[in-house]
Amino acid sequence: SVVGADTDDSVGNYQINQYGFEGAIHYRQPLGLISIDGEAGYSQHNYILAADFPLEVPDTQYSAFHAGVHLDLHVTDHATIGFGGKLFYVLDNGDMSSLDWYGPGSASGFDLDASFVIPLPKKLFVRGELDYRRVTTDFDGAGAITEEETVLSAADATMNGSVNVGIAF
């Protein structure tokens, strides 16, 4: 990912090293025309700014437990349209909660997703996904920047999309 910065001294685009993982236990129950998929899991998502970024911004590493549900509507035998959501109980938000930055606070988040599957000839299919994730932190007021700048909260949001072609076995 790339983020732009415009300061008194420079204007430019800078790299963000964005990576993470998510693991969950799922239970899927078909109910005629719909299927319900419930999950509980753990995730970690990291956002590390380039060393030459001109503004002082803390690296953020969210770790969280989550619970969620996803519903799929079976339009035909092999075509589906789905949507779902997750709630996050944030355990840690990295350098952001350091007293040198914004200080401690409470964080929570959510994730909304939409998907589709379209069958193609010869057992091929196309699957598309769109995902929106937002994590919000409300600060207690004890961090250096929170005290200097009266920063009361921060929010990070990401949107991801993908389209994949696969073979059904």
Side-chain angles (χ1 to χ4, degrees):
S1 297
V2 175
V3 65
D6 183 359
T7 67
D8 293 338
D9 301 325
S10 67
V11 174
N13 292 321
Y14 300 88
Q15 296 294 318
I16 298 175
N17 186 0
Q18 180 179 345
Y19 61 95
F21 70 90
E22 188 169 298
I25 296 172
H26 289 260
Y27 179 76
R28 186 172 177 88
Q29 180 66 46
L31 300 169
L33 290 177
I34 65 169
S35 293
I36 299 174
D37 182 349
E39 71 176 88
Y42 174 81
S43 63
Q44 187 170 359
H45 298 277
N46 304 292
Y47 307 93
I48 312 299
L49 289 166
D52 61 344
F53 191 72
L55 301 170
E56 290 191 38
V57 178
D59 293 332
T60 307
Q61 296 112 352
Y62 295 111
S63 60
F65 288 120
H66 70 268
V69 66
H70 184 89
L71 297 163
D72 283 318
L73 173 63
H74 302 280
V75 180
T76 67
D77 285 343
H78 300 288
T80 62
I81 298 172
F83 58 92
K86 299 176 194 167
L87 292 176
F88 294 96
Y89 176 75
V90 178
L91 302 168
D92 184 28
N93 58 2
D95 292 343
M96 189 185 311
S97 61
S98 164
L99 289 174
D100 294 334
W101 289 100
Y102 297 100
S106 60
S108 62
F110 67 90
D111 183 292
L112 301 173
D113 69 81
S115 63
F116 66 87
V117 175
I118 300 172
L120 299 173
K122 301 193 184 217
K123 297 196 177 208
L124 292 173
F125 66 89
V126 174
R127 177 178 174 84
E129 297 178 314
L130 185 61
D131 183 75
Y132 175 77
R133 178 173 303 204
R134 183 179 176 93
V135 177
T136 304
T137 305
D138 295 318
F139 301 110
D140 293 344
I145 294 176
T146 303
E147 290 174 358
E148 288 176 19
E149 306 290 333
T150 317
V151 176
L152 302 175
S153 66
D156 280 328
T158 58
M159 183 172 279
N160 297 301
S162 68
V163 175
N164 303 297
V165 177
I167 299 174
F169 292 100

